[in-house]
Amino acid sequence: MTYLVSLLLIALIVGLVAVASNPAPYFAALGLVVAAGVGCGVLISHGGSFLSLVLFLIYLGGMLVVFAYSAALAAEPFPESWGDRSVLGYVVIYFVGVGLMMKFFCGGWYEGSWMIIDTFKEFSMLRGDISGVAMMYSLGGSMLVICAWVLLLTLFVVLELTRGLSRGSLRAV
Amino acid sequence: MTPVHFSFCSAFILGLMGLTFHRTHLLSALLCLEGMMLSLFIALALWTLQFEMTGFSAAPMLLLAFSACEASAGLALLVATARTHGTDRLQNLNLLQC
């Protein structure tokens, strides 16, 4: 079982190297999709099924879809993939860097390094992470109101940023 | 460091280096920022799960909400750049260059 989680963690690092080496944004979005998918797998293997579902739905299905649509703004005739010379240099440097850091900092799996939530609570109907998120509606209600207010504010920020006719930002005309 | 701890720390540092050494497109810098947010979500969720602090699982949800705000602001800037300069290449943002 640790082999599966180790594979997911390696896939997370590989996905982020694929994003950080800055290829054309089509391929970087693909790397981020893979990284988010295996990140969900890591969360599931620790017992956080609701948080993993939230990551899939909101992050992958909401934000990354919008990024994928916006990749049309970065269209170029010859998009650089990870095999092109300039991007491959960055990929190699990042892999070597991660390998060096792994040599110095990464330990092994030991007893107690992998705790799964709700380990001895099989007879509980409510799982740990989902009831914790439900606390956001009861005791954390003020934070929920602040969050909703910030989201509404962001809507107006986006409206003002993309307003044209020399009233928005970054307009030289 | 456990392997899980090392992997999301290195994922954050990789995203930060991709943002620092960005090359041509503004959108690839925004995608590196999203990668950093992904590693932070995984970190906070794993903090909740490994320490069995169930009340803390509101923290990754709130992080996701605020990162959605930040991503939308970044994409609005991208759209404004593409409307003004025709492309999102960073070498075109040189109006203040002497």
Side-chain angles (χ1 to χ4, degrees), chain A residues 22 59 80 107 132 162 170, chain B residues 1 23 25 34 50 54 83-84:
Chain A
N22 288 330
Y59 190 84
E80 291 176 333
T162 54
L170 284 177
Chain B
M1 251 191 218
R23 299 190 312 125
H25 288 283
E34 284 308 303
Q50 292 207 332
T54 53
R83 274 198 196 159
T84 310

Side-chain angles (χ1 to χ4, degrees), chain A residues 3-76:
Chain A
Y3 287 137
L4 179 65
V5 177
S6 301
L7 182 68
L8 294 176
L9 295 173
I10 290 172
L12 178 71
I13 293 181
V14 165
L16 273 247
V17 164
V19 175
S21 54
N22 288 330
Y26 310 118
F27 305 112
L30 186 67
L32 208 51
V33 165
V34 166
V38 297
C40 289
V42 168
L43 290 185
I44 286 174
S45 66
H46 284 86
S49 43
F50 180 72
L51 288 172
S52 157
L53 202 63
V54 159
L55 186 65
F56 244 113
L57 278 174
I58 309 300
Y59 190 84
L60 270 185
M63 291 159 57
L64 275 192
V65 164
V66 176
F67 272 96
Y69 285 147
S70 303
L73 287 170
E76 50 188 18

Side-chain angles (χ1 to χ4, degrees), chain A residues 2 6 9 101-114, chain B residues 1-6 50:
Chain A
T2 51
S6 301
L9 295 173
M101 291 295 116
M102 196 182 282
K103 191 79 173 68
F104 286 119
F105 290 114
C106 188
W109 296 98
Y110 58 91
E111 178 78 31
S113 72
W114 180 8
Chain B
M1 251 191 218
T2 64
V4 177
H5 191 185
F6 173 77
Q50 292 207 332

Side-chain angles (χ1 to χ4, degrees), chain A:
Chain A
M1 195 63 192
T2 51
Y3 287 137
L4 179 65
V5 177
S6 301
L7 182 68
L8 294 176
L9 295 173
I10 290 172
L12 178 71
I13 293 181
V14 165
L16 273 247
V17 164
V19 175
S21 54
N22 288 330
Y26 310 118
F27 305 112
L30 186 67
L32 208 51
V33 165
V34 166
V38 297
C40 289
V42 168
L43 290 185
I44 286 174
S45 66
H46 284 86
S49 43
F50 180 72
L51 288 172
S52 157
L53 202 63
V54 159
L55 186 65
F56 244 113
L57 278 174
I58 309 300
Y59 190 84
L60 270 185
M63 291 159 57
L64 275 192
V65 164
V66 176
F67 272 96
Y69 285 147
S70 303
L73 287 170
E76 50 188 18
F78 301 104
E80 291 176 333
S81 168
W82 301 289
D84 292 332
R85 189 59 55 97
S86 51
V87 182
L88 193 62
Y90 279 101
V91 170
V92 164
I93 288 174
Y94 287 142
F95 271 130
V96 164
V98 168
L100 280 177
M101 291 295 116
M102 196 182 282
K103 191 79 173 68
F104 286 119
F105 290 114
C106 188
W109 296 98
Y110 58 91
E111 178 78 31
S113 72
W114 180 8
M115 300 294 294
I116 302 175
I117 201 172
D118 297 332
T119 305
F120 291 114
K121 304 165 191 63
E122 289 88 9
F123 293 121
S124 161
M125 198 172 76
L126 298 170
R127 296 284 103 192
D129 52 349
I130 195 168
S131 52
V133 172
M135 287 271 289
M136 205 165 70
Y137 289 92
S138 68
L139 285 176
S142 49
M143 200 62 212
L144 189 69
V145 167
I146 290 173
C147 194
W149 187 255
V150 165
L151 284 169
L152 183 67
L153 185 69
T154 307
L155 201 65
F156 289 111
V157 162
V158 165
L159 184 69
E160 284 302 318
L161 275 176
T162 54
R163 196 187 282 264
L165 290 177
S166 78
R167 281 203 49 200
S169 61
L170 284 177
R171 295 295 290 204
V173 296

Side-chain angles (χ1 to χ4, degrees), chain B residues 13 25-26 47-48 60 66 77-78 94 98:
Chain B
I13 291 175
H25 288 283
L26 183 63
W47 195 343
T48 311
F66 291 130
L77 282 171
L78 178 82
N94 56 358
C98 54

